[in-house]
Amino acid sequence: MNDDTERALDEAARLLVESRHVLALVGAGLSAESGVPTFRGPGGLWTKLGEPSMNGYQEFLGDPARWWREQQDQQADPDRTEFREAIERAEPNPGHYALADLERMGILKMTITQNVDDLHARAGQELLAEIHGNRTRLRCITCESRWPRDHFHGQDYPIHCPECRGLVKSDTVMFGEPIPRGVLDLCFSQTEMCDCMIVCGTSATVYPAASFPQTVRERGGAFIEANPNPTPLSPLANVVLRGQNGQMLPALVERVKALRR
Ligand code: NAD
Ligand code: ZN
């Protein structure tokens, strides 16, 4: 590691231990080293295949039974099957474990993640706001009840919520689908309290997540960007950790531990 990186890590560690309410905001880059491709950027899925249909949610509402049948048909779209298989094979990487360490140490109060891959929980994190849902779960679009993915196995399509009769779909937020109110409110209230946000592996182009670091800055807080590539938010960052999350985040945890000794 060069001197600039060492200095940035020291400064980031200092911000983390001196802040009262640290949040992480996470994107697909954190899971890149687990073998899950990102959507944008070099090697990104959309860079290769083009952007998917932007009205997935309208299509679901138009024919929910068809959507459920397509979930069973693994051959429907071979390119996207490759993505599904990568996500199913993926294991948490040192970046996920570093966030879990910060949470256990009482430093990280909540992680707002755009990832749907369940790798945070599998690394041992519990304080999660999964803003785009979690692919291992189902959700009622009306009352926001959630269940494990295979909960309604064998029932007729489309599936209706046993609580309120609303439609049940994957918890993953589709294009055109509103972010569930519960998790969105949690993100806004956490961001209001936040005095230091560490932004990991997100190109910060998808709203509302992209606005959270700006809110923290406007309220006088700090933010740390951890991303190997520049993003539209980079100029606003107090500290930039330019490297892979799997290397930078564990190095950051070591420095935080040293400061607290
Ligand atoms: P993005 O694809 O737009 O951007 C990925 C970012 O990760 C880029 O800025 C890139 O520089 C960075 N990156 C690449 N390798 C990295 C590494 N090793 N360490 C740290 N950063 C790295 O991702 P996004 O901003 O999260 O937005 C895309 C949307 O797609 C998200 O909302 C998310 O829901 C979804 N998505 C989720 C997954 C997943 O669950 N793992 C994967 C792909 C996309
Ligand atoms: Zn319901």
Side-chain angles (χ1 to χ4, degrees):
M1 256 179 233
N2 65 29
D3 287 354
D4 284 351
T5 308
E6 298 280 357
R7 259 196 304 277
L9 283 164
D10 286 340
E11 176 62 7
R14 191 188 59 77
L15 281 172
L16 292 186
V17 296
E18 287 178 0
S19 300
R20 275 176 302 102
H21 200 89
V22 177
L23 298 183
L25 174 68
V26 175
L30 179 68
S31 296
E33 290 161 82
S34 295
V36 183
T38 61
F39 285 170
R40 301 181 184 80
L45 197 69
W46 297 348
T47 316
K48 262 193 342 211
L49 303 178
E51 300 227 341
S53 158
M54 287 293 153
N55 55 358
Y57 188 58
Q58 291 312 318
E59 287 168 10
F60 167 76
L61 292 178
D63 192 348
R66 190 183 74 178
W67 179 86
W68 277 95
R69 278 193 303 276
E70 282 176 2
Q71 293 305 295
Q72 306 308 313
D73 181 8
Q74 299 290 313
Q75 302 308 313
D77 182 344
D79 287 327
R80 291 179 214 281
T81 299
E82 202 180 299
F83 181 74
R84 186 162 50 221
E85 285 173 357
I87 248 185
E88 268 160 20
R89 271 196 309 270
E91 299 287 338
N93 69 56
H96 294 101
Y97 289 112
L99 292 182
D101 283 342
L102 290 174
E103 185 179 307
R104 253 192 311 273
M105 291 159 76
I107 292 207
L108 191 55
K109 299 294 193 287
M110 176 77 62
T111 294
I112 301 175
T113 186
Q114 302 169 89
N115 294 348
V116 300
D117 54 27
D118 202 38
L119 295 180
H120 293 284
R122 286 176 54 201
Q125 280 197 269
E126 290 176 359
L127 305 174
L128 294 173
E130 294 172 312
I131 195 166
H132 293 162
N134 181 318
R135 64 183 299 281
T136 70
R137 302 171 87 188
L138 300 170
R139 168 173 43 85
C140 167
I141 64 170
T142 308
C143 72
E144 298 182 13
S145 293
R146 288 177 173 81
W147 305 270
R149 185 167 44 184
D150 54 5
H151 186 78
F152 298 99
H153 189 75
Q155 293 191 22
D156 287 343
Y157 303 145
I159 307 286
H160 288 278
C161 173
E163 309 292 328
C164 78
R165 307 304 301 156
L167 281 169
V168 175
K169 63 177 285 295
S170 163
D171 186 35
T172 305
V173 174
M174 294 170 169
F175 288 102
E177 179 180 359
I179 289 172
R181 198 67 240 174
V183 71
L184 193 60
D185 286 347
L186 179 63
C187 291
F188 283 125
S189 62
Q190 285 288 316
T191 301
E192 283 299 310
M193 289 188 274
C194 175
D195 57 353
C196 178
M197 183 172 270
I198 173 157
V199 181
C200 310
T202 176
S203 54
T205 45
V206 181
Y207 279 81
S211 71
F212 299 146
Q214 297 182 31
T215 304
V216 173
R217 282 294 265 158
E218 280 159 20
R219 297 182 69 258
F223 92 83
I224 302 164
E225 180 174 75
N227 194 315
N229 304 301
T231 75
L233 284 178
S234 303
L236 282 177
N238 299 68
V239 183
V240 177
L241 303 175
R242 271 287 170 258
Q244 311 247 77
N245 278 176
Q247 191 191 359
M248 289 295 159
L249 298 181
L252 182 59
V253 170
E254 286 314 308
R255 280 165 175 76
V256 169
K257 283 183 181 159
L259 283 179
R260 302 223 305 177
R261 247 177 232 133

